Amino acid sequence: MSLWQHLARAYFDTVYSPLYDSTTAHLSRYVDSQKEMAARLRAEGRHRVLCVGLGTGNELTSLRARAPELDIVGVDISPAALARARRKPAGEGQGTAFALVDAQQLAFRDACFDRVLCYHVTDFLRDPAKATAEMMRVLRPGGHFVISFPARSEGLGLGAGLLAHGLRSRGPDGASAGRVRGVTALLLGGLIYLPLMLRPRPVIFAAGQLEPLLQPLGARECIIETDPVYRDHLVSGVKNAGGQTHAA
Ligand SMILES: C[S@@+](CC[C@H](N)C(=O)[O-])C[C@H]1O[C@@H](n2cnc3c(N)ncnc32)[C@H](O)[C@@H]1O
């Protein structure tokens, strides 16, 4: 592992993953966007789904709410994140597998997944293009993907917006966020987001760069939207029947 990967894993293991479910995962915008992504992915029946950068496993919950019998593989570089995902009800049972795998080097054979989801992960990667090629390689022809790409430097504005939204948000139980809980969320959120806001994003994309990146990898019917939570590009599409199956 490179120094960057060591640092990223240490941050996700010790700060981000332990606090994620008590901060970000409570944002109503985040919950809604998880549901929307599960809908866009069109996973159904016993589809084999790869979640790249699964994190603490909230994607499992939204995917299983739509299709309980999915065969889901979640990969991440953070053992702490995967341990949390494994403990979630949606992560239990034989239909879910977890693997400590780098998104830029997916240890799976070509075309072995029906669906690939990668949300808010490529902006932590030194080589998001390589990760994208890997995701398209392991996706079968005719399979659907949803991948988000960093649009710009996150900056203080985004952090402030997320935190303000978090303070106004209701929890999953529907209870209003009280003052104490709001202040706690503010402090915890600040702890999570400060390193993210201050870091230089390794790579960012203009919307016009995404089709040229994805089409040679076999993507078609690409829809490019703005992610409501992180203001990144959210791309959904299908791999064509003659699409590339080998990593670039
Ligand atoms: C912002 S979280 C998103 C988690 C999840 N996709 C969600 O939306 O809840 C980013 C995740 O990407 C993981 N990650 C960072 N670099 C990675 C890499 N090179 N390969 C795989 N996962 C990585 C982190 O450990 C973290 O769990």
Side-chain angles (χ1 to χ4, degrees), residues 18-128:
L19 295 179
Y20 197 63
D21 286 342
S22 50
T23 55
T24 308
H26 282 289
L27 299 176
S28 55
R29 256 196 279 176
Y30 170 84
V31 174
D32 291 346
S33 78
Q34 290 279 340
K35 287 182 192 156
E36 279 166 29
M37 275 182 301
R40 281 193 187 93
L41 198 63
R42 301 203 206 162
E44 55 194 44
R46 293 172 190 254
H47 274 157
R48 190 161 190 243
V49 181
L50 177 66
C51 294
V52 178
L54 175 72
T56 59
N58 297 308
E59 291 158 5
L60 298 173
T61 307
S62 52
L63 287 168
R64 290 224 179 279
R66 291 183 60 84
E69 298 198 330
L70 294 174
D71 179 7
I72 305 178
V73 179
V75 302
D76 204 288
I77 50 150
S78 163
L82 291 181
R84 282 175 179 273
R86 200 174 274 121
R87 289 198 294 268
K88 296 224 158 109
E92 290 171 350
Q94 292 189 331
T96 316
F98 303 91
L100 206 56
V101 165
D102 192 310
Q104 294 147 130
Q105 207 168 2
L106 294 174
F108 303 101
R109 59 186 168 76
D110 297 352
C112 67
F113 289 98
D114 301 300
R115 302 287 184 263
V116 172
L117 172 62
C118 181
Y119 181 57
H120 199 211
V121 178
T122 58
D123 49 326
F124 300 104
L125 305 179
R126 304 300 278 180
D127 197 344

